[in-house]
Structure formats: C-alpha cells, structure tokens
Amino acid sequence: MAFIDLAKKEIQVKIVYYGPARSGKTTNLLYLYKSMSKNVAGKMVTIDTKGDRTLFFDFLPLNIGKIKDLSIRIQLYTVPGQVIYNATRKLVLKGADGVVFVADSLRVQKQKNIESLINLEENLKEYHIDINACPLVFQYNKRDLIKSNFPLLSIEELEEDLNARFKVPAFEASAMSGFGVFETLREITKITVRSVAKKLLS
C-alpha cells in the first residue's frame, strides 16, 4: 500500500517486477537506471548471487510529479526468481501497489512462467490482495531472440497461458536492448498511480 510521508509531502508508490528466474527483471531495472537522468533516478541497490541472479531486491526511486500537493515517488523492486527464495519474494511483495510480470519468451520456460504467475497469486493472497484487483501489466521479454532462431513462445501462446483471464496490458520487450522497457514502465505507473489516487481521494 502506498506510504504517505507528510513531512516530505510525498506519496511513495511501490511497483514490483515479478517473474521466473532469469526472465529479465533485473535487466529491466538496470536499463531504466542507466537511461534516466540522475535528477530523476535515485541510487540503485543490486545484490546478486554468484550466478548473477537477484538475491534480494533492486531499488530505483523515481520522481514523476504530484497529486495535489504531494509529490509521487515511484519505487521499483525486483524479486529473486528462484523457488528457494520464496520467503524473500513474499517480503519484497509486501505493500506492493502494482506488479509487472516479466515472462520469459523462451519456449522451454513455458511452465516456469505459469508456475511463477500462480506463485504471485498465492503470495498476494497471503496479504489479502486479490490479483484481479491489483494493478498488473505483463511484459513478454526476450523477443529479440527470435532473430537468433531460439524457439520462442508466440504472443498468442503467452496471452493464452498468462493473460487469458486478466486481459490486462501486455508488452513485447527486449530488456537487453531496451525495446518495450519504458512502455511497460509507463503503463504500470499510469494504472498504479491512478489506483493509488482513487484510494487516497475516496
């Protein structure tokens, strides 16, 4: 849930990038961080394991304007994708106002995507959050690999596997090249801030 810091006249909105291991969650945040002005992006914290996977979280606060007299500060997090770190995933997910689900387009990752989405729904339930009521955007990452002839899931298959019952916005992307990264962020920020503003003003 968004945190209001009256002393700073600031609303802190938390967006979590979720998905299976190595789907590109950290790569998304790294691309955003490197592309943004230092006046906009704060300090980023990344903690990796030896396998170069996110162990805890990444943190990227962004200042994007105001609601009434309160500044909006977006905080972006990623969760570790590996199943063994589910306790950490739940901890990072706590208080999330919106979620980007980063799916891996590689065909071999089909089941991992589905399992990770089920895991997201289960973890949200533990915080009494219905996934259908949570601002959610899908990103189908690694679309650039089609040029390298890697077997990829089609967009239609990804939509059927993951987004059939939600029908929320979804973006093709390559976090490595930046394709689709800002589009994903813009959409999740828009619907999350709208949701937070509705709750605060009701």
Side-chain angles (χ1 to χ4, degrees):
M1 185 177 179
F3 173 76
I4 300 177
D5 187 334
L6 290 175
K8 293 183 179 177
K9 291 189 174 181
E10 184 176 276
I11 303 172
Q12 295 176 4
V13 176
K14 181 177 183 179
I15 294 172
V16 175
Y17 281 63
Y18 210 94
R22 294 189 178 276
S23 61
K25 304 176 294 295
T26 299
T27 310
N28 264 271
L29 263 63
L30 285 172
Y31 183 85
L32 290 165
Y33 183 73
K34 289 175 182 173
S35 303
M36 287 180 173
S37 156
K38 297 301 175 239
N39 294 328
V40 176
K43 186 178 180 183
M44 187 176 196
V45 178
T46 307
I47 303 172
D48 292 335
T49 64
K50 289 180 182 177
D52 200 31
R53 295 176 180 180
T54 308
L55 183 56
F56 293 109
F57 61 83
D58 302 329
F59 177 75
L60 176 58
L62 307 170
N63 293 307
I64 59 163
K66 291 187 175 185
I67 293 179
K68 293 192 178 287
D69 291 334
L70 300 172
S71 298
I72 304 166
R73 192 168 179 86
I74 302 291
Q75 296 177 335
L76 304 179
Y77 290 75
T78 69
V79 297
Q82 301 96 315
V83 175
I84 59 171
Y85 294 125
N86 191 45
T88 306
R89 284 206 298 262
K90 280 196 285 190
L91 191 63
V92 174
L93 196 59
K94 186 176 183 180
D97 299 295
V99 175
V100 174
F101 187 90
V102 182
D104 193 326
S105 292
L106 288 171
R107 182 162 293 280
V108 295
Q109 293 294 89
K110 178 183 173 79
Q111 193 56 36
K112 295 290 184 188
N113 287 331
I114 295 169
E115 289 170 1
S116 183
L117 183 60
I118 292 169
N119 174 258
L120 168 63
E121 185 167 10
E122 290 172 349
N123 284 340
L124 285 171
K125 269 185 189 171
E126 293 204 16
Y127 293 122
H128 308 290
I129 298 172
D130 179 355
I131 193 170
N132 295 290
C134 178
L136 175 67
V137 166
F138 284 94
Q139 183 190 81
Y140 304 140
N141 194 26
K142 303 185 183 177
R143 301 310 299 176
D144 55 313
L145 293 181
I146 199 164
K147 297 174 187 170
S148 305
N149 292 323
F150 282 96
L152 297 186
L153 293 160
S154 69
I155 296 302
E156 290 74 20
E157 288 174 295
L158 286 160
E159 283 283 284
E160 178 61 29
D161 288 346
L162 306 172
N163 199 16
R165 69 186 173 105
F166 302 112
K167 301 196 183 305
V168 296
F171 296 87
E172 297 183 45
S174 164
M176 288 294 289
S177 70
F179 165 66
V181 171
F182 274 100
E183 289 81 354
T184 305
L185 177 64
R186 269 196 293 271
E187 185 64 22
I188 190 62
T189 300
K190 183 177 73 176
I191 62 176
T192 301
V193 169
R194 187 184 298 155
S195 169
V196 168
K198 187 176 177 182
K199 289 176 186 171
L200 292 177
L201 299 174
S202 63

